[in-house]
Amino acid sequence: MSAAAHHDPHDGHDDVGYHATVQGYAIGFVLSVILTAIPFWLVMAKVLPAEATKFIILGFAAVQVVVHMIYFLHLNAKVEGGWSMLATIFTIIVVVIMLAGSIWVMYHMNTNMMPMDPHAVRNMP
């Protein structure tokens, strides 16, 4: 067989994407455990008031999503010429719009519903 028959699909391409390593997985695992243990401790030890704890847990959850995307899903600006990161950003924008719209609709539906008099319920036929 000639050398041309053994075509390497990576010839002529700069493969600068993320290459997984055991160290990368270990770092991601340790960060995930820490980002889970701290909110767990905050809730179990009742260190802060409930309202503050809710927002802190949401913050830790957001950071943990980023850690998972980087260390386990291997998403960064270099993979696939940046298209995977662009698709991720677009997905996040769509999800935020959907969540905000759903919350807005539910809030306004609750606010604009006719108030129910507790006495009227008992007197209904």
Side-chain angles (χ1 to χ4, degrees):
M1 285 178 105
S2 68
H6 297 290
H7 177 68
D8 185 8
H10 296 292
D11 285 346
H13 294 107
D14 293 327
D15 189 18
V16 293
Y18 183 85
H19 296 286
T21 63
V22 174
Q23 180 183 9
Y25 282 119
I27 291 170
F29 176 74
V30 169
L31 287 173
S32 296
V33 168
I34 291 170
L35 292 169
T36 301
I38 292 172
F40 182 80
W41 172 74
L42 287 173
V43 170
M44 295 305 290
K46 296 181 182 173
V47 177
L48 300 170
E51 278 301 313
T53 304
K54 290 176 188 177
F55 291 111
I56 291 173
I57 289 173
L58 285 174
F60 274 98
V63 172
Q64 194 166 51
V65 166
V66 172
V67 166
H68 282 250
M69 286 173 55
I70 292 171
Y71 288 102
F72 299 122
L73 297 176
H74 313 300
L75 291 177
N76 61 26
K78 296 177 183 174
V79 174
E80 297 178 13
W83 284 106
S84 64
M85 184 59 77
L86 188 64
T88 303
I89 291 169
F90 177 74
T91 302
I92 290 169
I93 290 170
V94 168
V95 168
V96 167
I97 290 171
M98 288 175 51
L99 285 174
S102 297
I103 291 170
W104 180 74
V105 166
M106 293 299 173
Y107 171 77
H108 284 285
M109 285 183 67
N110 185 39
T111 304
N112 295 325
M113 292 293 289
M114 281 189 358
M116 211 51 169
D117 183 19
H119 301 289
V121 175
R122 282 187 276 174
N123 297 331
M124 291 180 97

